[in-house]
Amino acid sequence: MMKKIFKRMLSPIIFFIGIIFLILVVIAGGSESSSATAVNGVVYVEHWSSDSAYTHHYLSQRYGITESQIEGFIKSQGHTPEGRSSGKAFLDAQAKSGIDVRVLVAFAQAESAYGTAGVAKQYPEANIWGYGCFDNDPNQGRNWGPERAFNDFRTYQIEQLGNYNLQIMDERANQFALGVLPAGKGVYYTDTSGTGKARAKIMEDFDRYIDENGGTPVPPNGYGSAALAGGGSISLLQTVVGTYVYDGQCYMLTAWYSEQIGGPRLRGGLDKLPRASGMAAADIGTDYDWSQWGFTVILNPKASDIRTGDIINWKAGAQYSADSDYRLGGPYGHTAIVGEIKAGNKIMIYDQNPNPVSYREIAINDSMFSSLIRKGN
């Protein structure tokens, strides 16, 4: 088994703070690929969201991987898939968390040999990814069952800390070892002996096994960012999570996104000019002739009108989220891009201001938005 590594938090105190913080708020979430598409809010790629498994975004998936392919690969690695490590269990974890099953398989093999080593073997109720096991208290892992582990992996590690690929995790493990980890960031593991590259190798071996054993079908919408439900590119937005785009105003993220997908150049602060009348986020849908660029605008959209990839613009003074008392206020409103449609009138959005670009969940209703804009019809 590999050298024991540090999971999720930097110390018991930080662990406790992190749990409290997660209860209060779950926020934020890359890499771009010419072969990515979204179906029902999931980003699908032909193989990887980038040029390798090492830089592949955890929330990009290969469409149509089967239980038998998962179990066949596990057997090829000298293990017996059962219970927590069955193909069904892995696909269930992928469906509930959105994390690529190839990532989940690689972590399970590296961390616990599919539940046959360490804390996962000692405690059958524990998860097989080593999640929640700490250097100073490895038995803490017994309190982290599979569902708690993969949910926290996504909401905390990927969306909040921005640990969305193996390369980033390796870099932060090295920063932690050197004592230069940036404030507000964290690690999944602290081992610096090539942990991420070893896991990328497992992912690549698994992907090759899939190719050699039936392959996978093409997603219903095909590959390529033009096939996205809202005409946008979610993996494109993942590349700027955790940064400030242009001057950091919400308007500027939409301006950048519009240009990236072939829309008009929204002037705002891009020309270094003062914000002028007509530059309110609430008015983005009517301030430009979007049809010239092949976009559709829906004014005063209902919640049911919104799709993945849409630009959405709040009315001036509207609530930020339907389940919150916080109102935007003022004459400007707000603007964001839709990353995923969820059940119960909830969506995931990319936005910025006052914080850097983040990926977060909000509740929506039929009266919040002044307009939505999407590429195509």
Side-chain angles (χ1 to χ4, degrees):
M1 186 176 179
M2 63 176 287
K3 176 182 175 183
K4 186 60 186 169
I5 56 182
F6 184 101
K7 307 293 185 299
R8 190 180 186 280
M9 300 289 185
L10 302 181
S11 71
I13 293 176
I14 298 177
F15 171 79
F16 177 75
I17 293 173
I19 290 294
I20 297 301
F21 184 77
L22 278 170
I23 293 173
L24 297 175
V25 60
V26 174
I27 62 172
S31 41
E32 167 71 335
S33 169
S34 60
S35 60
T37 187
V39 178
N40 297 327
V42 177
V43 176
Y44 289 115
V45 293
E46 189 170 2
H47 288 284
W48 312 112
S49 66
S50 60
D51 59 358
S52 71
Y54 189 54
T55 54
H56 171 69
H57 197 291
Y58 294 152
L59 300 184
S60 295
Q61 303 174 14
R62 181 170 176 176
Y63 179 76
I65 296 173
T66 66
E67 292 180 22
S68 61
Q69 287 171 331
I70 295 170
E71 295 185 354
F73 175 72
I74 293 173
K75 290 176 183 177
S76 76
Q77 301 298 294
H79 300 282
T80 301
E82 56 186 2
R84 295 170 294 174
S85 65
S86 68
K88 183 180 184 303
F90 273 115
L91 288 180
D92 182 62
Q94 176 182 253
K96 290 181 178 179
S97 69
I99 300 170
D100 185 351
V101 73
R102 294 169 298 175
V103 174
L104 296 171
V105 165
F107 273 62
Q109 181 168 317
E111 291 287 351
S112 71
Y114 301 104
T116 64
V119 174
K121 179 181 180 180
Q122 186 176 3
Y123 299 106
E125 69 273 23
N127 71 87
I128 59 178
W129 304 291
Y131 202 89
C133 297
F134 302 92
D135 290 336
N136 58 358
D137 185 12
N139 290 341
Q140 177 67 223
R142 81 176 86 179
N143 298 319
W144 287 83
E147 189 155 349
R148 182 185 180 192
F150 63 64
N151 282 334
D152 201 73
F153 187 179
R154 171 165 182 164
T155 59
Y156 184 72
Q157 289 292 335
I158 299 173
E159 294 178 356
Q160 185 173 320
L161 297 182
N163 290 331
Y164 53 76
N165 67 31
L166 290 164
Q167 181 182 51
I168 291 173
M169 284 188 167
D170 273 357
E171 289 173 353
R172 291 185 177 168
N174 286 323
Q175 291 170 342
F176 178 79
L178 295 171
V180 294
L181 188 69
K185 300 301 180 183
V187 294
Y188 186 106
Y189 53 75
T190 58
D191 186 271
T192 58
S193 63
T195 300
K197 290 184 176 179
R199 295 175 190 213
K201 174 64 164 52
I202 297 171
M203 289 169 62
E204 290 163 355
D205 290 345
F206 183 19
D207 194 67
R208 190 177 306 109
Y209 180 91
I210 292 168
D211 287 339
E212 295 169 352
N213 290 271
T216 51
V218 175
N221 286 352
Y223 295 112
S225 59
L228 286 171
S233 175
I234 303 311
S235 53
L236 173 70
L237 286 156
Q238 290 166 349
T239 66
V240 294
V241 168
T243 70
Y244 285 104
V245 174
Y246 297 129
D247 69 357
Q249 295 289 336
C250 64
Y251 199 104
M252 293 300 96
L253 179 61
T254 291
W256 176 83
Y257 180 68
S258 172
E259 287 193 82
Q260 300 302 310
I261 62 174
R265 188 168 188 260
L266 313 187
R267 289 179 297 138
L270 292 173
D271 295 325
K272 307 300 182 184
L273 297 173
R275 187 178 295 275
S277 175
M279 288 299 161
D283 300 327
I284 289 175
T286 54
D287 277 344
Y288 304 89
D289 184 1
W290 289 90
S291 63
Q292 290 186 25
W293 288 270
F295 285 71
T296 297
V297 177
I298 298 178
L299 299 179
N300 301 309
K302 297 180 179 179
S304 59
D305 293 325
I306 296 173
R307 302 179 191 169
T308 300
D310 285 348
I311 295 169
I312 53 172
N313 307 302
W314 279 251
K315 296 176 180 177
Q319 288 179 230
Y320 178 72
S321 178
D323 59 2
S324 168
D325 291 331
Y326 176 72
R327 292 183 176 274
L328 298 171
Y332 299 124
H334 188 61
T335 182
I337 298 95
V338 181
E340 182 180 348
I341 307 299
K342 305 187 79 172
N345 269 6
K346 292 188 177 182
I347 61 174
M348 299 293 295
I349 61 169
Y350 293 88
D351 71 344
Q352 66 177 6
N353 187 15
N355 299 313
V357 179
S358 62
Y359 191 52
R360 66 185 72 199
E361 181 182 278
I362 64 167
I364 58 176
N365 59 38
D366 289 344
S367 62
M368 294 169 60
F369 303 109
S370 59
S371 66
L372 71 77
I373 302 160
R374 71 171 56 111
K375 193 171 185 178
N377 298 317

